[in-house]
Amino acid sequence: MIDLRSDTVTRPCEAMRQAIAQAQVGDDVYGDDPTVNELEKWAAERHGFAAAIFCSSGTQANLLALMAHCERGDEYLCGQQAHNYKFEGGGAAVLGSIQPQPIENEPDGTLSFDKLRAAIKPLDPHFAQTKLLSLENTIGGKVLPLAYLAQAKDFCVTHQLQLHLDGARVYNAAVALNVDVIEISQYFDSMSVCLSKGLGAPIGSLLLGSTELIAKARRWRKVLGGGMRQAGMLAAAAKISLTKNVGRLIEDHQNAKYLAEQLNKISGIEVNLSEVETNIVYAALDENLNIKGITQQLKENGVLITAGNPMRLVTHLDIIKSDIDIFIQNFGNLIKVS
Ligand SMILES: *Cc1c(COP(=O)(O)O)cnc(C)c1O
């Protein structure tokens, strides 16, 4: 199958499967798993933080960050389009008693500091207390500029807020900017990184932060049922994702650009090429197109996409350029007859 639905669909490579089979393990809730311990120590140093915690998912890592930064009755500022507001089941409110304060994202994915400033609550019993600004990079496949991150840091210092990055795809951002990931992570008090997307691990995310913050997160992870036992089997694959699969993300970005250019040659499809910055392509479809029917027929031809308008397509390590040619040929033909 050629699967363009998401970069979460990658399958672990042979080296990961070998590492999983051979991993040294112990009970991680007791702190006894050497492979998890090594990963957390390595990842903290690698990203410029004092501590790290290995989590079952990006949703869990983000929720732990919110629950560690905020207390009951606090609030966090975020984008309307933020994953940890819109796509995580309202977890911060449901499980953390933390109020989200979403702000409309600007077209480039940033949040306006004027709008953020206006949303900060004064110290007054009427209001939830504003504690944290949460950004996302990449967001909708777009990269936040480094200069913006520096401004966000200044903004948070001025207003005594903590700053979190949902860095599920932060390595895509680093590769697109051609900088080391540390150039991005340096501005944040905490950062989550998803290992099970374009980096190709089967399971897992990291949360990075200060020793104190990660200790709080570790307690909440247990409370949320996220304390895993012989998790070294997962950490072994995770380490490979961070050491072997970062450099090649550039191929996913090139493939996404190529995909966008090819889509633009089909009538009734339009992609704004300047918005294809990493591995995600949004294509606007002619309203008369029966995208549900086309999606079903593509599936019968071995190609998986998500029906939608705009149509969101994602490249990843299990997609090569010739897969895109196959998709384009099939898609073009189906549009002609529909
Ligand atoms: C996928 C994603 C997450 C959550 O990751 P899961 O591992 O699927 O829970 C968080 N933030 C962003 C921006 C994501 O794309």
Side-chain angles (χ1 to χ4, degrees):
M1 283 303 227
I2 296 171
D3 196 339
L4 292 162
R5 292 173 301 169
S6 175
D7 46 6
T8 55
V9 302
T10 58
R11 303 230 167 82
C13 61
E14 199 46 45
M16 283 184 184
R17 290 170 189 264
Q18 289 291 331
I20 290 166
Q22 287 159 13
Q24 285 192 43
V25 296
D27 188 328
D28 182 48
V29 174
Y30 285 104
D32 282 352
D33 191 300
T35 311
V36 172
N37 292 343
E38 200 276 328
L39 173 73
E40 289 178 346
K41 185 166 178 287
W42 178 87
E45 280 168 20
R46 169 71 188 95
H47 301 91
F49 291 88
I53 183 169
F54 184 57
C55 303
S56 58
S57 69
T59 299
Q60 187 179 68
N62 279 331
L63 179 59
L64 294 180
L66 294 170
M67 291 178 74
H69 282 296
C70 303
E71 305 289 330
R72 180 173 192 226
D74 289 343
E75 75 170 7
Y76 68 107
L77 307 170
C78 61
Q80 280 286 354
Q81 301 307 321
H83 200 282
N84 63 14
Y85 169 61
K86 195 173 173 183
F87 300 102
E88 295 180 10
V94 174
L95 299 164
S97 300
I98 302 160
Q99 167 171 288
Q101 170 59 71
I103 307 288
E104 205 61 57
N105 291 87
E106 302 303 311
D108 65 358
T110 61
L111 302 174
S112 137
F113 294 114
D114 286 338
K115 290 179 192 164
L116 286 170
R117 201 176 294 109
I120 295 174
K121 313 290 181 290
L123 271 181
D124 177 311
H126 288 87
F127 303 117
Q129 284 193 44
T130 315
K131 283 284 170 65
L132 175 76
L133 170 59
S134 179
L135 299 177
E136 185 173 316
N137 197 13
T138 61
I139 177 156
K142 290 179 197 163
V143 180
L144 301 182
L146 290 177
Y148 176 79
L149 302 185
Q151 288 176 318
K153 176 73 194 167
D154 286 346
F155 177 86
C156 286
V157 170
T158 303
H159 296 283
Q160 292 182 299
L161 302 176
Q162 296 286 295
L163 183 57
H164 172 70
L165 183 67
D166 178 348
R169 295 191 181 88
V170 69
Y171 275 97
N172 293 89
V175 165
L177 290 169
N178 195 22
V179 299
D180 190 88
V181 70
I182 210 103
E183 301 289 325
I184 298 172
S185 59
Q186 61 174 331
Y187 297 109
F188 293 90
D189 298 300
S190 60
M191 177 170 89
S192 60
V193 184
C194 196
L195 311 173
S196 63
K197 288 189 171 156
L199 297 179
I203 298 168
S205 278
L206 284 162
L207 176 65
L208 306 145
S210 69
T211 307
E212 193 193 8
L213 189 89
I214 297 302
K216 279 174 102 174
R218 201 170 289 281
R219 177 180 145 68
W220 285 127
R221 188 186 67 173
K222 189 77 185 81
V223 172
L224 293 169
M228 297 187 283
R229 302 294 177 174
Q230 285 71 33
M233 301 184 90
L234 304 177
K239 180 75 182 287
I240 292 174
S241 75
L242 285 164
T243 50
K244 301 266 192 306
N245 286 346
V246 170
R248 59 152 309 286
L249 288 174
I250 189 81
E251 292 171 37
D252 298 343
H253 299 180
Q254 287 162 352
N255 283 338
K257 253 300 189 285
Y258 178 67
L259 170 59
E261 287 160 3
Q262 298 307 108
L263 280 168
N264 267 344
K265 292 181 186 164
I266 302 174
S267 79
I269 314 288
E270 207 178 313
V271 182
N272 184 341
L273 285 180
S274 69
E275 291 188 354
V276 182
E277 298 179 24
T278 57
N279 67 328
I280 302 180
V281 175
Y282 288 96
L285 311 181
D286 186 299
E287 278 177 22
N288 298 317
L289 270 184
N290 173 10
I291 187 61
K292 276 209 169 132
I294 289 174
T295 301
Q296 187 52 41
Q297 295 209 22
L298 278 172
K299 189 173 175 182
E300 284 160 27
N301 297 351
V303 180
L304 295 173
I305 64 166
T306 308
N309 192 9
M311 172 175 72
R312 175 186 182 262
L313 301 169
V314 187
T315 57
H316 52 77
L317 58 69
D318 290 340
I319 294 290
I320 56 176
K321 194 175 174 199
S322 59
D323 292 332
I324 294 169
D325 291 326
I326 293 168
F327 162 68
I328 290 291
Q329 196 171 27
N330 271 277
F331 192 60
N333 287 342
L334 289 167
I335 283 178
K336 258 182 240 153
V337 298
S338 76

